[in-house]
Amino acid sequence: MAVMRIRLQRLAWLLLVLPLATLASEWSFDDAERVVALSDIHGAYDAMVRTLQQTAVIDESGDWIGGGTHVVIVGDLLDRGPDSRSAMDHLMRLEPQAEAAGGKVHVLVGNHEAMNLMGDLRYVSKQEYAAFAGEETEAERDEWFRRYAERADEVADLEQFRARFDERFPPGYFAHRQAFSFSGEYGKWLLEKPVLVVVNKTAFVHGGLSPVVGDLGLDGVNGTLHADLVEYVRLHEELVEDGALLPTDTQFEVESILKKFTTDLDPSDPLVAKAARLLELDRSPLHDGDGPLWYRGNVGCSRLIEEDRMLDIVESIGAERLVIGHTPTPNRRVLERFDGRLIEVDTGMLASYYDGRGHAVVLEGDSVRVVSESGAAEGPLEHPRRVGMRPDGIDSRESLERLLAEGQIVDEKEDESGRTVVTVSTSNAKADAFFVKRRGRDFYPDVAAYKLDQLLELEMVPVAVSRRVGRADGSLMYLAPNSVDEAARSEAGRGGSATCPIQDQWPAMYAFDILIYNEGRSTNRMLYSPDIWQLMLVGHEQAFSTRSGRPRYLEPIVIELTPAWRRALGRLTPELLETEFDGILDERRQKALLERRDEMLESM
């Protein structure tokens, strides 16, 4: 009965709150004069203000002059920086001003908003706590210390224990927690904010549009998933009031604390059901790596893997284009992918941490332009191809090719697998590379794999160039620093945080290996860049056979080609191969490649 009461209370609360929220703030808008979007402020309040001023949204006093403009803050106002509170206060002030002028300010929930609301405070800066110190009394701190000490198993030295308490929970901590609670000023404000909006046929979400969004749709994300967050914060506040939790308890400590607290309670006690429900909500898909606050596949997966999947979801929510934050762009500029259907606006605005600056994308009619906090204007740049972490001093694929082709060879050695690794250096850059001798006349398999990767837009084969080393002709294929092979990754159980899920990367590798008839794929020819766990395919000495069919290891694998794969394979004409593979892949191998291409298109 206690469980039923809790569920009925939740249902009554949802029926009361959610329809009102839906009526008060729709999630799709078609009448904006223009749209200005920026993301990931992370407490860089001054940069945010300068960026909004440069887009003519606010004046020198910080007041609204944007008329019918819709401003979209694509999540992550909070954490890391010193001045998140000022950013929130300013946006709260702008909201009614924009409404009065016919415009609107949309603040979206990002992963760092959810973290603060739920008690994951790993990235809250001391300056952030200090901003709340004036609202926290010494008596309040003493009371929370008393309750904190009571829970401790043993306190040998009370003075030292208090010193550690004050270090871990600095002045302002408890006022900060109250402000982000269900009834707190910023908690109430943030819990009214959606996860996903569509303005003038452009969708905006913090992390990305994952299959979870495709399953739930616009209403489901802002309804079901958002309600999970709201209910969690409400229940958390109630459990603090009930004495089951303390403000000092982080999100990661809550489960063990609640299990201990409820051990001796009667199962019918309402606190037991309330605690169980909180733990259930902690596992909501909203907080998963595949959830819209955290998903990075739109940025991290190649066109062959991600484009059709993303665009299907974009269209399903009534949009034509997507704007995301969350993943700082590698060059700290606004980027675009998929022929402009995806725009990345996290340019590392918090300069002290990300070494970036504020940028906004301005959408007006058919125009897409970018304005920086300094006033410089440009269009979005094309998302760069990057397979593996680049060495210092190298900013593009072309410059890495030049380094490998023209740099001085300063070292040569064998790795544990017996492969030759050389070090190539110039005055401003240095890189390691695998050296593979030429396999026959007009046959450089690693270079052929690299060029084919570019034609397909697979983005898995590192840069490779033909190069003479000593007296031997062959090729150099870039070896990214700190690379981990598949055997080591699997044994350590790593890769769960991959920017592009590993379970999505492997089928692309299988399709590529069928196309090139690669009989030599082994775990030491599957490397990962551990910063984002991107799969890198190396060692193609046993590829590009003249056979038809599949390599033996791939015979039982079922592969379904995406439309993007089919389009990419369709671009591989005899004329293109003859031009791109001249001197790298002989005519017989080119012909066999096209025959396998035809087999793939017919059978998959």
Side-chain angles (χ1 to χ4, degrees):
M1 291 298 295
V3 174
M4 183 176 294
R5 277 200 303 274
I6 294 294
R7 289 176 177 169
L8 288 173
Q9 289 170 3
R10 177 178 183 249
L11 177 62
W13 178 83
L14 290 174
L15 290 173
L16 175 66
V17 174
L18 290 181
L20 293 176
T22 304
L23 291 173
S25 57
E26 298 175 81
W27 302 316
S28 186
F29 305 82
D30 294 321
D31 57 350
E33 291 179 6
R34 64 175 183 144
V35 184
V36 173
L38 57 158
S39 181
D40 293 80
I41 286 86
H42 283 301
Y45 171 62
D46 291 340
M48 182 192 83
V49 168
R50 288 191 295 268
T51 304
L52 292 175
Q53 288 173 336
Q54 294 293 350
T55 57
V57 168
I58 61 175
D59 61 19
E60 291 185 359
S61 300
D63 290 315
W64 183 267
I65 57 170
T69 299
H70 283 220
V71 168
V72 185
I73 308 296
V74 194
D76 279 10
L77 286 163
L78 308 175
D79 285 346
R80 289 199 169 99
D83 221 353
S84 300
R85 187 174 192 180
S86 294
M88 290 188 292
D89 288 343
H90 199 153
L91 292 169
M92 293 168 79
R93 167 182 147 202
L94 287 176
E95 285 176 326
Q97 294 180 0
E99 292 275 2
K104 197 163 185 67
V105 175
H106 307 271
V107 176
L108 303 187
V109 175
N111 63 301
H112 282 270
E113 279 73 42
M115 290 162 72
N116 274 258
L117 290 165
M118 297 179 68
D120 181 353
L121 310 175
R122 289 172 292 168
Y123 304 105
V124 180
S125 68
K126 289 184 177 180
Q127 297 99 316
E128 293 284 81
Y129 289 133
F132 292 86
E135 297 152 45
E136 182 180 283
T137 67
E138 201 58 41
E140 181 182 8
R141 290 185 61 80
D142 289 344
E143 174 59 20
W144 286 122
F145 173 71
R146 182 188 66 77
R147 293 177 61 181
Y148 182 79
E150 282 179 353
R151 185 198 279 171
D153 293 333
E154 184 177 345
V155 178
D157 187 318
L158 190 61
E159 186 174 334
Q160 288 186 6
F161 192 75
R162 178 60 189 255
R164 290 195 297 270
F165 174 88
D166 288 336
E167 174 65 25
R168 185 178 176 187
F169 312 111
Y173 175 92
F174 295 100
H176 176 278
R177 296 304 299 128
Q178 170 58 34
F180 284 91
S181 68
F182 183 77
S183 59
E185 178 183 12
Y186 300 111
K188 287 190 293 186
W189 182 68
L190 289 172
L191 289 173
E192 294 172 352
K193 306 307 176 190
V195 173
L196 172 64
V197 295
V198 177
V199 185
N200 290 1
K201 301 297 183 182
T202 297
F204 299 85
V205 69
H206 179 65
L209 293 186
S210 68
V212 169
V213 179
D215 292 339
L216 291 172
L218 182 62
D219 292 344
V221 169
N222 287 328
T224 305
L225 283 191
H226 187 271
D228 286 347
L229 176 63
V230 175
E231 188 183 1
Y232 182 99
V233 178
R234 179 179 64 84
L235 285 176
H236 188 281
E237 181 173 288
E238 290 181 12
L239 286 164
V240 171
E241 293 171 353
D242 294 335
L245 295 173
L246 299 177
T248 53
D249 300 332
T250 71
Q251 182 184 356
F252 308 106
E253 297 169 323
V254 162
E255 182 170 3
S256 61
I257 290 169
L258 287 180
K259 286 182 176 179
K260 183 177 180 180
F261 181 84
T262 57
T263 297
D264 297 327
L265 295 181
D266 188 289
S268 64
D269 191 315
L271 282 177
V272 175
K274 195 181 294 186
R277 178 60 184 162
L278 187 78
L279 298 182
E280 181 184 350
L281 291 165
D282 189 41
R283 294 184 286 272
S284 166
L286 183 67
H287 317 302
D288 286 347
D290 287 339
L293 303 185
W294 292 90
Y295 185 66
R296 299 184 194 269
N298 299 156
V299 171
C301 293
S302 70
R303 181 187 287 264
L304 294 180
I305 297 172
E306 191 68 18
E307 181 180 26
D308 295 306
R309 179 166 62 187
M310 187 204 84
L311 293 182
D312 285 347
I313 300 171
V314 168
E315 292 171 6
S316 75
I317 59 175
E320 299 172 353
R321 174 172 52 199
L322 173 64
V323 174
I324 61 172
H326 188 48
T327 304
T329 58
N331 54 6
R332 303 301 188 257
R333 310 280 282 278
V334 173
L335 302 178
E336 65 179 12
R337 299 187 81 194
F338 310 145
D339 305 314
R341 302 286 293 276
L342 172 67
I343 300 176
E344 307 165 47
V345 295
D346 180 2
T347 61
M349 187 179 294
L350 181 61
S352 62
Y353 188 89
Y354 293 104
D355 195 28
R357 59 177 176 168
H359 288 84
V361 63
V362 182
L363 309 175
E364 192 167 9
D366 295 330
S367 169
V368 179
R369 62 191 180 94
V370 176
V371 177
S372 78
E373 62 178 281
S374 64
E378 61 187 12
L381 305 178
E382 183 65 24
H383 184 98
R385 179 192 189 277
R386 195 205 78 160
V387 180
M389 296 173 61
R390 288 178 179 156
D392 292 339
I394 297 297
D395 60 359
S396 68
R397 170 179 59 84
E398 293 80 5
S399 58
L400 183 52
E401 288 178 358
R402 287 193 297 272
L403 170 62
L404 296 183
E406 303 170 6
Q408 180 182 2
I409 295 176
V410 296
D411 190 27
E412 182 176 340
K413 59 189 176 185
E414 283 192 358
D415 69 5
E416 61 276 7
S417 300
R419 295 174 293 192
T420 300
V421 177
V422 302
T423 302
V424 185
S425 178
T426 64
S427 58
N428 65 343
K430 184 167 68 172
D432 289 336
F434 292 120
F435 174 69
V436 176
K437 292 182 180 179
R438 187 182 64 185
R439 311 304 287 181
R441 184 178 179 183
D442 293 340
F443 185 31
Y444 298 83
D446 274 342
V447 181
Y450 168 57
K451 287 204 173 271
L452 183 59
D453 175 285
Q454 292 179 78
L455 295 176
L456 295 171
E457 297 187 68
L458 175 68
E459 298 183 20
M460 284 187 175
V461 181
V463 167
V465 301
S466 56
R467 176 76 189 259
R468 188 176 182 85
V469 175
R471 297 182 178 181
D473 285 331
S475 62
L476 291 181
M477 174 169 277
Y478 176 57
L479 172 57
N482 304 316
S483 296
V484 175
D485 71 19
E486 168 57 24
R489 183 208 68 80
S490 178
E491 183 179 357
R494 305 176 70 190
S497 61
T499 299
C500 182
I502 289 176
Q503 65 267 24
D504 290 340
Q505 297 187 63
W506 279 40
M509 174 187 68
Y510 294 148
F512 185 67
D513 278 351
I514 291 172
L515 180 63
I516 65 176
Y517 203 99
N518 183 18
E519 297 179 285
R521 185 67 63 208
S522 56
T523 57
N524 67 353
R525 289 178 168 85
M526 298 166 61
L527 305 183
Y528 294 89
S529 182
D531 57 333
I532 57 175
W533 294 103
Q534 176 189 29
L535 178 57
M536 300 176 290
L537 307 179
V538 301
H540 298 91
E541 299 95 316
Q542 298 179 55
F544 296 99
S545 168
T546 56
R547 300 177 186 175
S548 59
R550 299 185 180 196
R552 183 173 299 176
Y553 98 95
L554 288 169
E555 287 177 355
I557 303 295
V558 176
I559 296 175
E560 295 183 8
L561 294 181
T562 64
W565 261 107
R566 294 183 173 279
R567 291 192 297 271
L569 291 171
R571 292 195 296 268
L572 299 180
T573 64
E575 295 77 17
L576 179 64
L577 294 192
E578 183 178 0
T579 300
E580 293 294 329
F581 292 94
D582 182 41
I584 295 170
L585 197 64
D586 60 62
E587 291 183 8
R588 290 175 62 244
R589 289 184 170 89
Q590 290 182 34
K591 181 180 178 182
L593 178 67
L594 290 171
E595 290 173 352
R596 289 192 296 271
R597 182 276 310 267
D598 293 340
E599 290 176 358
M600 293 175 69
L601 289 173
E602 291 172 5
S603 63
M604 296 181 188

